[in-house]
Amino acid sequence: MLGKKGMFLTIAIVIICGAILQGLFYLVDGKDSPQKAAIEFAKAYYGLNVAMADRLCEERKTVDDVDIVNKYIDSVAAEAVKRGFGTDYLRYGLFNIGTSVISKDVDNAVIRITGKKKVEINPLYMLVSKLFNIGETTHVDETINLVKEDGIWKVCGNLFALPCY
């Protein structure tokens, strides 16, 4: 049986080890990689989030002075209205995400991203639909080309349904 000092020491060691592990996880997660870029882009793309532009390479952000991301979101909104929905009804959450490296060198990578997507009208809807297995789940299997621009991995090339003009 541990005394008060032994119990205190055990708790202190557990807290210190937890803090060290948390710091290591933070460092590992903070490192940019092609897989991280592909996941961030795909989540923003399917979630109709303009943050996808942060992971697009410069040559794909605008074509003929047209902002590709806004053009895509506007086209999805128009499609939603045409179908009698709000834009939120065409927003998807991505889960069970997996990535594999098809090829990679210093400045270029090709990543395959797989997962499932489900309508995400709001975060609560996504949680409830997963818990009760309601709503359509669609399989995602895409190959994404990435380039390194200014030390950051960016998605480039023809991808998903973004207009390319």
Side-chain angles (χ1 to χ4, degrees):
M1 184 166 194
L2 292 173
K4 286 185 179 182
K5 288 183 181 180
M7 184 66 80
F8 176 74
L9 184 60
T10 302
I11 292 172
I13 289 172
V14 168
I15 290 172
I16 291 170
C17 287
I20 290 171
L21 281 173
Q22 191 68 26
L24 288 173
F25 290 146
Y26 177 77
L27 289 174
V28 169
D29 187 48
K31 186 177 182 229
D32 194 35
S33 69
Q35 295 92 329
K36 181 179 178 182
I39 290 170
E40 285 179 3
F41 176 81
K43 283 182 173 182
Y45 172 82
Y46 288 116
L48 300 178
N49 188 335
V50 294
M52 74 177 96
D54 296 340
R55 284 297 188 168
L56 271 179
C57 65
E58 288 302 318
E59 75 178 48
R60 289 289 288 142
K61 283 185 180 180
T62 57
V63 176
D64 296 332
D65 295 327
V66 174
D67 182 326
I68 295 299
V69 171
N70 286 330
K71 177 77 172 170
Y72 170 69
I73 292 175
D74 290 345
S75 71
V76 170
E79 176 66 23
V81 168
K82 190 167 102 178
R83 293 171 55 188
F85 298 120
T87 306
D88 287 347
Y89 286 89
L90 295 181
R91 180 174 291 152
Y92 290 90
L94 197 59
F95 60 100
N96 290 351
I97 303 167
T99 60
S100 57
V101 178
I102 295 174
S103 66
K104 181 183 173 194
D105 61 30
V106 177
D107 292 323
N108 296 289
V110 178
I111 303 294
R112 179 177 179 221
I113 186 166
T114 58
K116 296 179 180 179
K117 68 178 182 172
K118 188 174 271 208
V119 173
E120 185 180 53
I121 298 168
N122 61 48
L124 182 59
Y125 179 83
M126 179 74 162
L127 177 66
V128 170
S129 68
K130 281 173 52 177
L131 284 174
F132 295 106
N133 198 27
I134 57 175
E136 183 181 348
T137 301
T138 309
H139 186 70
V140 173
D141 189 348
E142 297 283 345
T143 302
I144 301 175
N145 296 318
L146 296 107
V147 296
K148 204 171 207 178
E149 287 183 352
D150 300 323
I152 299 172
W153 286 99
K154 305 274 183 129
V155 174
C156 212
N158 292 335
L159 45 115
F160 300 149
L162 282 178
C164 58
Y165 301 100

